[in-house]
Amino acid sequence: MAKRKRRQPKPLFDVVASDPPVRPGLVSPMRAVPGSIERPPYVANGGDPGLSASSPVRTADEIERMRTAGSVAAEILLEVGAAVAPGVSTEKLDIVAHEAYISRGAYPSPLGYKGYPKSVCTSVNEVICHGIPDSRQLQDGDIVNIDVTAYIGGVHGDTSITFLVGDVDDASRHLVVETKRALDLAIAEVRPGAPFNAIGRAIENHATRNGLSVVRDFIGHGVGTEFHTSLQIPHYYVRRFDLVMEEGMSFTIEPMLNLGRWELGEIWDDDWTAVTADGCRSAQFEHTMVVTPDGVEILTVTEAGESAHDRYAEALA
Ligand code: MF3
Ligand code: CO
Ligand code: CO
């Protein structure tokens, strides 16, 4: 099927397909969660969340609970990040995360969501998102996004960063650094009265200036009592998407930027793993936030205000 032509940014680096390509490993059976931990409603419904019914705006009580869910997700991402190293399998990262959710009384939102089999997503190199943890060991020079979503107190906190594994080439470091900056620039656009398309404009402008392309097939989303609400947050500029932000709206911004072309390749046979069409690498950073009276509050930080985004930024600079 013909796809609409988009302007491709001029690469600043000699961009080549990741070599060797990431291949599927073995996926272990689903892990158990103690019955004492509250499940999101889709778990009892065979993983089907149904049509989104929740408001885009959270109550004060929901926002307070989202602070807890967000800080739990931030803590888990920090803990899993400490385990990232050459030779560690993505399965091992899932185990670390799984235990971290349970020890905090949280349910791993991905586990059983639309049939997803694991507690985090681990997306290596040219995998854009939704990589399933498996037996593949991280290699020196890989990049890996780990996406954590915690359900606790009836609400979700959704956050991810891309980690560097050992000694990473300059083009990949550039990709990771500028994807984090794109998220930061987008968050700076969030305030009551701002149009939602300011988010995608900030990200697309930053990506283009840095020779990177923006993934169009996956977008940010409203989040709260539901994992994904009907509120859509594209990471590219859409002129007609001028819905205005209101105090109390809660959503994610989670740009995926590519070193090569923006297009999505074929989804793997596991029905989840999304790779770039050209095999070049892709990075992603995500926060959950809420619109405040005078701007934005990032919810996926620890009680001390820390996040993996900042903790691991030092390694990037
Ligand atoms: N956390 C992802 C997001 O940012 C969603 C993952 S869905 C899953 O929206 F089923 F793959 F976990
Ligand atoms: Co998300
Ligand atoms: Co996520």
Side-chain angles (χ1 to χ4, degrees), residues 147-149 158-160 221 227 254 286:
D147 193 338
V148 170
T149 311
D158 187 5
T159 186
S160 83
H221 51 92
F227 195 172
E254 48 185 295
E286 174 176 29

